[in-house]
Amino acid sequence: MGEPVIDVHTHVVPKGWPELSAICGGSGWPWLRVDSERDAMIMVGEVEFRPIGAECWDAGVRLSDMDADGVDVQVISPTPVFFSYDRPADQAVKVARIFNDLTLEIAAAAADRLIPFCQVPLQDPDAACAELDRCLAAGHRGVEIGNHVGDRDLDDEGIVTFLQHCAGVGAPVFVHPWDMPTSPRIDRWMARWLTGMPAETHLSVLALILGGVFDRVPRSLRLCFAHGGGSFPFWLGRADNAWRRRGDVVRGRSAHPPSHYVDRFFVDTVVFAPAALRLLIDTMGEDQVVLGSDYPYPLGERPVGQVVRKAPFLTLEQRVKLLSANARRFLGLPPREV
């Protein structure tokens, strides 16, 4: 293909961090139960949250997997359980600093192949902007944020202030769903991940559109939504129809129907099936779709990029865009240079 393959959606977890209650205050923080050299469990208080392996913290294991999958470059981002948006801002600042600095240590093992993204205390716009600036100066290349802060979605004034700052400093923003609603109906079969995550992403894309955010922030803002944009691409026609026929309640602050804004953000390829990828490209356009995997978690794609490589309807030029060129635009990299 000639251009490096770039995966914009992966996560890291450091193998160890200080006791957060002692440094940040509060209680019930995540901690890591290390079960062996290669296996650990993220704990939240006394509850098991997620088993993880050495690929989360060991750059050597990660690079070996990248080589096996034909991936040249990864964006490495926080795991959302550490966002801490529900805590006092001063605590969230401290935990963000801890994990951001540890992420830089992981990336330093292969600075030409691992691109670190930071986390910020999004519940406090001023603190979030300050932490982003600190991280960019230290070597981070962008930021991952959750798709909401409690009941505040991405059209919240404070979050818009942060997004405008990202545009001003040229930081790409990767938006990841998190903190999905819970109920007896969706607490089985991983339904929070299988239905809640797509719905969360869909809702937040609509918040940016109908909340008028894209009409206010500069086009220089580079946003990417995880998991193929959730259910938004499939239901874009429904949103347009509602905007036109029930504009009295649907239009919100948006000057145009939702389909007008699809060139304002990227989505990744974590959709697993060629038919879904075709819908994604038909809906979003071939210039707005970037390779993602959700590596190293089990609901991610392995081998990375197989849905793009195997899709029979893609031209060579389209594959180059999805595997490399579009990610360069999202990351702000010059063509053919990492």
Side-chain angles (χ1 to χ4, degrees), residues 21-302:
S21 59
I23 294 178
C24 306
S27 61
W29 288 99
W31 57 282
L32 197 65
R33 190 188 75 204
V34 178
D35 298 325
S36 72
E37 289 187 0
R38 296 185 56 84
D39 298 291
M41 176 70 71
I42 300 175
M43 305 288 293
V44 179
E46 297 306 312
V47 177
E48 293 183 346
F49 175 75
R50 173 178 292 165
I52 61 173
E55 60 273 13
C56 279
W57 63 77
D58 188 322
V61 175
R62 180 175 290 261
L63 293 169
S64 178
D65 286 348
M66 290 168 63
D67 290 341
D69 289 356
V71 174
D72 298 293
V73 177
Q74 276 187 352
V75 173
I76 59 172
S77 295
T79 294
V81 70
F82 302 109
F83 283 157
S84 307
Y85 296 163
D86 60 338
R87 293 181 178 270
D90 62 326
Q91 295 183 9
V93 169
K94 292 174 183 176
V95 76
R97 282 177 167 262
I98 290 170
F99 283 95
N100 290 337
D101 292 347
L102 290 172
T103 297
L104 286 178
E105 292 181 12
I106 296 173
D112 58 333
R113 301 188 66 184
L114 302 178
I115 297 178
F117 272 30
C118 64
Q119 68 182 66
V120 295
L122 197 58
Q123 63 267 57
D124 184 324
D126 291 338
C129 292
E131 178 60 11
L132 174 63
D133 291 346
R134 185 190 79 88
C135 288
L136 293 177
H140 286 272
R141 305 278 286 277
V143 60
E144 179 190 60
I145 64 172
N147 70 301
H148 66 105
V149 177
D151 289 330
R152 298 158 56 194
D153 217 312
L154 298 184
D155 60 332
D156 173 81
E157 285 302 315
I159 298 175
V160 172
T161 295
F162 176 73
L163 294 176
Q164 290 171 326
H165 183 75
C166 291
V169 299
V173 182
F174 187 70
V175 184
H176 199 286
W178 87 299
D179 192 30
M180 293 80 70
T182 180
S183 78
R185 293 180 61 231
I186 59 176
D187 285 346
R188 52 183 184 162
W189 307 321
M190 293 197 75
R192 292 177 68 194
W193 281 260
L194 297 178
T195 67
M197 276 193 164
E200 281 289 335
T201 302
H202 185 171
L203 177 59
S204 292
V205 174
L206 284 177
L208 285 173
I209 293 171
L210 300 179
V213 178
F214 286 129
D215 293 318
R216 298 166 55 199
V217 300
R219 293 190 68 90
S220 58
L221 177 65
R222 303 193 306 276
L223 282 171
C224 181
F225 282 87
H227 307 134
S231 50
F232 173 81
F234 189 85
W235 290 112
L236 177 57
R238 181 179 178 86
D240 272 4
N241 181 65
W243 191 90
R244 292 189 177 98
R245 302 190 66 179
R246 287 303 313 273
D248 55 322
V249 292
V250 171
R251 287 185 185 179
R253 301 180 185 177
S254 63
H256 306 280
S259 59
H260 176 83
Y261 300 93
V262 295
D263 66 344
R264 298 295 301 275
F265 59 96
F266 297 88
V267 296
D268 72 21
T269 61
V270 189
V271 295
F272 303 100
L277 181 64
R278 170 172 273 176
L279 171 69
L280 201 61
I281 294 170
D282 288 346
T283 304
M284 298 297 303
E286 63 187 45
D287 294 324
Q288 302 305 120
V289 182
V290 297
L291 177 65
S293 68
D294 209 4
Y295 174 95
Y297 295 133
L299 294 188
E301 183 193 53
R302 290 294 307 277

